[in-house]
Amino acid sequence: RRGYFARRDKQADAAPPHPHVLEGPCLTVHAPPEPCDDQGRRPPRQLLRYNPRYAGSVFALVQLRGTAFASWAVWLHVLGYAAVSAAVCAAVFFAYPQPELLHTERVNELASYAASLLSALLALHLAAAVQRWWALRTGTLGRLWSAVADISMVLAAHLPQPGSAALKSLILRYSLASFELTFMQAQGTDGVLGALVKQELLSDDEKRKLEELVSKPQAMWVWIAGILQRLAERGRLSSRMLVLFYGICARARSAVGRGQGVFAYLDTQWPFPYVHLLWVFVHLNSIALAVKRGMLSAVAIWNLRRAEREDKVSHADNLHVLLLQVFLVIWAQALLHATLEESSRLGEPFGDGLRDFPRRAYHEWMRSDCEALLAAGEALPAEVLQATEEFEVREGDLVHDCVAIVEAPHAFLD
């Protein structure tokens, strides 16, 4: 089968292991030229890693791309609460004859109490969201990757003959199709599988049969297990090896299933009463902060209009207070809503956005890893062949499994 699984030439072997990688001062992204969509557009770029020194420097203050502050929803909330602060400021300034006599201690007390409690809740929520994200990467996607590598390794060691290359390529193709279908099902785009035919991961017949099924990532592992079972029926695979392969297939299937796999997380959101309570708390705290900033801004503007010498007020202090309120009404709200927005995004990293799992980079790495394992099995070093030829086994050195069939007592069966 040529195309997707065609042998690489010497020039391709000399290429770097991770092609299509663009390195910037802060972010390193994967920008594959294909597969293109129906409109001919290239796949979106996705983040691979970041430079911790750059991210931890003062340049982080001007970094917007790839951060939680790149969300338009965050700045929409900031704009809304800035409008609330401006409305409160105008109401206090024009409605009260002497705004400087207002006592803001009660509002300060309410805002401080809400902020202290909310900071603890958001810290716990963000920590749980990061833990959930890491579990998706290692416990589900990582388990699938590990199973694909394991089945490739066992096939490479058990079937090193060049005549078995077509069988091994078929199993690898189905494994990679399961990986792609996991992302497609998570995005709700697994109804049409034409893109996988273009990538040569599926044939037209396989596409038609698969489109009739649900849980398509799991179905691919049923096909793989069926291949191995047919080999065992024809005497090409021992029952012991079949059990081993079944265990690997079951591990991979569970990684993309709804019981304990990817969709156990994606189909089970945070409890709605908990999330609703957290969001209500955030908005109430934001309203309290906006009212407080508006009142303090009105007092500062009123004092700036008064004569500095006659009323014994400092224009410099009031200007400082006014600028501080403007700064806080923007960035305090931005930090608060960006934290909650990012906590929500971490729970669904199977999209095609910049901050989601780099799907196509993982695909390339998984394919390269497995092809390397299969190639290693077909070209064993001369030392390996010599060592196995010279190895001598005496009677009693190895222990073989023994199975004894005994009749169980009736009491035990009852």
Side-chain angles (χ1 to χ4, degrees):
R1 185 181 180 90
R2 298 192 57 81
Y4 188 84
F5 287 100
R7 291 288 185 181
R8 301 175 181 174
D9 53 19
K10 294 182 179 180
Q11 183 178 0
D13 289 336
H18 307 318
H20 317 306
V21 173
L22 302 179
E23 294 187 3
C26 181
L27 305 180
T28 299
V29 299
H30 184 247
E34 56 183 13
C36 299
D37 59 12
D38 296 336
Q39 286 76 31
R41 294 174 297 186
R42 292 185 175 184
R45 298 179 177 182
Q46 291 188 295
L47 180 63
L48 291 181
R49 56 184 176 272
Y50 59 89
N51 185 348
R53 292 185 177 180
Y54 186 96
S57 66
V58 69
F59 295 105
L61 297 176
V62 296
Q63 177 69 32
L64 184 64
R65 181 169 178 257
T67 67
F69 298 104
S71 172
W72 62 269
V74 172
W75 297 107
L76 186 62
H77 283 99
V78 171
L79 181 62
Y81 286 111
V84 172
S85 293
V88 171
C89 177
V92 172
F93 184 83
F94 292 107
Y96 283 83
Q98 291 181 311
E100 72 276 9
L101 300 180
L102 286 175
H103 296 285
T104 59
E105 291 80 4
R106 295 178 181 176
V107 179
N108 289 335
E109 182 180 357
L110 175 62
S112 300
Y113 173 76
S116 60
L117 182 58
L118 185 60
S119 61
L121 291 176
L122 282 180
L124 294 175
H125 183 67
L126 184 60
V130 172
Q131 185 178 4
R132 179 187 176 98
W133 175 87
W134 186 243
L136 278 168
R137 173 59 184 85
T138 58
T140 61
L141 198 60
R143 194 160 81 245
L144 173 64
W145 195 330
S146 176
V148 174
D150 287 348
I151 201 169
S152 298
M153 181 196 69
V154 178
L155 285 172
H158 194 69
L159 301 174
Q161 303 85 358
S164 62
L167 172 67
K168 292 183 286 189
S169 294
L170 177 62
I171 292 178
L172 177 57
R173 181 163 63 86
Y174 283 175
S175 302
L176 294 176
S178 175
F179 174 82
E180 287 292 326
L181 286 165
T182 301
F183 281 83
M184 295 176 69
Q185 182 175 331
Q187 298 173 17
T189 60
D190 59 332
V192 181
L193 305 180
L196 297 185
V197 176
K198 291 181 180 179
Q199 299 179 53
E200 299 188 356
L201 290 176
L202 293 177
S203 65
D204 291 330
D205 179 63
E206 293 164 348
K207 167 183 171 294
R208 286 191 298 269
K209 292 181 178 180
L210 199 59
E211 285 179 341
E212 299 174 356
L213 304 175
V214 296
S215 301
K216 296 176 179 63
Q218 300 184 68
M220 300 307 301
W221 290 99
V222 177
W223 289 1
I224 294 174
I227 294 172
L228 300 169
Q229 194 271 340
R230 286 179 176 272
L231 289 177
E233 282 185 349
R234 299 178 60 185
R236 304 292 180 87
L237 196 67
S238 67
S239 59
R240 184 185 298 273
M241 291 301 301
L242 182 62
V243 171
L244 174 62
F245 280 122
Y246 275 178
I248 297 175
C249 291
R251 181 153 49 92
R253 185 218 55 79
S254 66
V256 296
R258 298 183 184 274
Q260 295 180 340
V262 170
F263 299 100
Y265 288 91
L266 299 184
D267 295 341
T268 307
Q269 297 176 304
W270 298 105
F272 177 72
Y274 162 73
V275 174
H276 178 262
L277 179 63
L278 189 61
W279 271 109
V280 168
F281 209 156
V282 167
H283 286 294
L284 289 178
N285 180 75
S286 297
I287 292 173
L289 290 177
V291 171
K292 173 184 175 182
R293 305 305 172 196
M295 294 177 64
L296 293 177
S297 298
V299 173
I301 294 173
W302 179 267
N303 288 333
L304 286 173
R305 297 186 58 187
R306 297 165 60 187
E308 189 172 13
R309 294 183 178 179
E310 297 178 0
D311 298 333
K312 296 181 181 181
V313 294
S314 173
H315 285 178
D317 287 345
N318 284 283
L319 182 60
H320 172 264
V321 170
L322 179 60
L323 294 177
L324 182 61
Q325 302 313 310
V326 173
F327 175 82
L328 290 177
V329 79
I330 295 175
W331 285 106
Q333 300 287 2
L335 287 172
L336 186 63
H337 289 275
T339 301
L340 200 54
E341 183 77 14
E342 189 62 21
S343 299
S344 301
R345 285 184 56 88
L346 287 173
E348 297 182 355
F350 284 85
D352 286 331
L354 178 67
R355 292 176 287 170
D356 293 316
F357 289 147
R359 165 185 174 180
R360 290 164 184 86
Y362 286 171
H363 181 112
E364 291 182 5
W365 297 348
M366 186 185 301
R367 183 195 65 183
S368 299
D369 291 348
C370 295
E371 286 182 345
L373 294 174
L374 297 176
E378 295 176 1
L380 294 176
E383 288 78 4
V384 174
L385 301 176
Q386 181 180 357
T388 54
E389 291 293 336
E390 296 177 352
F391 181 71
E392 296 182 359
V393 181
R394 296 174 300 177
E395 187 178 356
D397 287 347
L398 300 179
V399 178
H400 298 276
D401 293 339
C402 296
V403 179
I405 301 177
V406 297
E407 183 178 355
H410 292 287
F412 177 77
L413 294 175
D414 293 338

